[in-house]
Amino acid sequence: MKPKSQKLSILFSVAGVALIIVYCLAPFYWMIVSSLRRPQDVFEISWWPSTVSFENYGAVFDPSRGFTGSMLNSVIVSVTTTVIALVIATFASYALARLEFRGRGALLIIIIATSMFPLVAIVVPLLKLFTDWNWINTYQALVVPNLSFAIPLAVWNLTSFFKQMPQELEQAAMVDGCTPWQSFQKIILPLAAPGVFTTAIIVFINTWNEFLIATTMINDPTMQTAPVAISKFGGVSQFETPYGSQMAAGVLVTIPLILLVLLFQRRIVAGLAAGGVKQ
């Protein structure tokens, strides 16, 4: 039999976790419920719509809104940013984890500090620079600024994964005839896969949800990303805000992220667990 104090501790822990789950999921639940209401019932206060309607989802895909193209733009920008950031960060973090040189710790701090600059402080200089380069309304105007925040984050995360891998792995591979590149490619990268997947998910989600850069660098409706497209949804008149359509679009934008996490949940859990264990 468990002592009473232990039972209370477990009860409070479960209640705390349940409270956190409800707090995190409540906005998404309300977004789903609001998206299923008829436009005239959008301000109805109830746990479930009195009349379930998919009218808002139909309005989202109205060709005049260009939402499908915006989703495609978000996919292109997010995937491109994630791939480039991972390629650069993998080599950089491996070098930082394996090479011994003076100032390595300070360099890591500088790398992560670069991602902490307020975005609003650099968006105006970037706008001036990209205007001079004729980059406005291009994918590179979205990818490059996102990389400046994605690469430091990826380097910081992956360095910890490579540090925990014993160097004896590479040494044993080279004794068996592998070159340094082969030992990295065939031994280290497969072992670091959970950390790489975890970092990729984090970078992808951050890029997918980015708004300020996208709304500043893009004024062509055919090039805007999904978050910007949602913010520009208009109603029947200029004084109407289509809350139902915005909620429906928000649900559609969130679904790919949920599917991504569910698809790679084992990799993510393995990566988080590996990052928290010192070998």
Side-chain angles (χ1 to χ4, degrees):
M1 294 292 292
K2 295 181 180 178
K4 186 176 181 180
S5 59
Q6 188 175 358
K7 290 182 179 179
L8 287 175
S9 177
I10 294 175
L11 180 62
F12 283 124
S13 297
V14 172
V17 171
L19 185 62
I20 293 173
I21 292 175
V22 171
Y23 175 80
C24 293
L25 293 182
F28 185 67
Y29 170 78
W30 195 252
M31 184 167 62
I32 294 176
V33 171
S34 299
S35 70
L36 295 175
R37 300 187 196 276
R38 296 176 300 180
Q40 61 268 30
D41 299 332
V42 70
F43 293 109
E44 181 183 82
I45 305 298
S46 61
W47 290 105
W48 191 253
S50 57
T51 302
V52 175
S53 171
F54 294 93
E55 182 178 345
N56 292 319
Y57 288 92
V60 168
F61 291 104
D62 188 321
S64 63
R65 298 189 188 275
F67 182 73
T68 304
S70 299
M71 286 283 285
L72 179 60
N73 291 333
S74 288
V75 171
I76 293 173
V77 173
S78 299
V79 171
T80 303
T81 301
T82 302
V83 171
I84 296 176
L86 283 181
V87 171
I88 296 175
T90 299
F91 291 107
S93 57
Y94 181 73
L96 288 169
R98 287 293 186 258
L99 299 179
E100 296 288 344
F101 57 91
R102 183 178 299 177
R104 183 177 63 172
L107 180 59
L108 272 172
I109 293 175
I110 293 173
I111 288 174
I112 194 62
T114 58
S115 66
M116 297 181 181
F117 284 103
L119 183 58
V120 69
I122 64 173
V123 71
V124 174
L126 285 176
L127 178 61
K128 176 65 170 63
L129 184 65
F130 291 167
T131 301
D132 293 339
W133 290 355
N134 293 321
W135 274 18
I136 301 300
N137 295 321
T138 61
Y139 287 124
Q140 57 263 35
L142 300 175
V143 173
V144 172
N146 280 313
L147 283 175
S148 65
F149 293 93
I151 291 176
L153 178 63
V155 169
W156 181 266
N157 286 339
L158 289 176
T159 299
S160 64
F161 287 100
F162 286 125
K163 276 185 177 180
Q164 71 181 352
M165 295 181 184
Q167 294 190 12
E168 288 79 5
L169 292 173
E170 293 107 312
Q171 294 170 358
M174 285 186 280
V175 167
D176 291 336
C178 289
T179 64
W181 166 250
Q182 289 174 330
S183 64
F184 171 75
Q185 181 184 13
K186 297 180 179 181
I187 305 298
I188 299 302
L189 273 184
L191 292 176
V196 174
F197 271 96
T198 304
T199 304
I201 295 297
I202 295 173
V203 171
F204 184 90
I205 291 176
N206 287 341
T207 307
W208 182 270
N209 293 329
E210 199 286 320
F211 178 80
L212 183 58
I213 292 174
T215 194
T216 304
M217 304 300 173
I218 303 297
N219 51 47
D220 183 356
T222 62
M223 288 296 298
Q224 63 190 6
T225 57
V228 178
I230 294 174
S231 70
K232 294 183 178 180
F233 275 8
V236 177
S237 68
Q238 61 178 337
F239 303 106
E240 178 189 358
T241 302
Y243 293 109
S245 299
Q246 290 177 341
M247 293 294 183
V251 172
L252 294 173
V253 167
T254 308
I255 287 175
L257 302 182
I258 296 175
L259 294 177
L260 194 64
V261 172
L262 292 177
L263 183 63
F264 296 109
Q265 60 178 331
R266 291 186 178 180
R267 294 279 190 175
I268 295 172
V269 172
L272 294 174
V277 177
K278 184 177 181 181
Q279 297 181 0

